[in-house]
Amino acid sequence: MSTSKVKNIILFDGVCNLCNNTVNLIMRNDKRRKFYFSSLQSDIGQHYQSLLGHQVDSILYIREGQILSKSNAALYIAKDLGFPWSFLFIFKIIPTFLRNRCYDFIAKYRYKWFGKQDSCRMPTEAERKRFIQIL
């Protein structure tokens, strides 16, 4: 599937266990099949990082053409996932720089706390339709 056909793409660190478990949680709870996925290490991930002008090491959320990162990405994913996850959007009232400090702290230690894989996750046959492969 190409990116031109979807509006909500989550780009995640494909070797991070926390990130992979978060993708699994989103797929289980995305009843409307609103989200599509690709790793930051993929060609698509590299493309969007080049649009930002810097490398990202945690998450990007392409939401209807807008590129969101860090805590904004996480909060909008929760909002778009729907009830009960959308309640987390209340944290949007906290200033972005404070939310991102917390986000950066977790991101800094995520490999130490949750582990890391040797290579990017490969989607299962059932998941393959949810993963974007070409621009």
Side-chain angles (χ1 to χ4, degrees), residues 16-55:
C16 169
N17 286 338
L18 174 62
C19 302
N20 280 298
N21 288 333
T22 301
V23 167
N24 291 339
L25 180 135
I26 293 167
M27 283 195 293
R28 274 193 316 272
N29 290 283
D30 182 18
K31 305 301 183 207
R32 296 173 284 158
R33 300 179 67 80
K34 184 174 192 167
F35 298 102
Y36 292 85
F37 307 90
S38 193
S39 73
L40 288 166
Q41 294 87 349
S42 71
D43 290 342
I44 294 164
Q46 294 299 307
H47 168 75
Y48 281 106
Q49 290 177 79
S50 72
L51 293 177
L52 287 175
H54 61 86
Q55 291 292 305

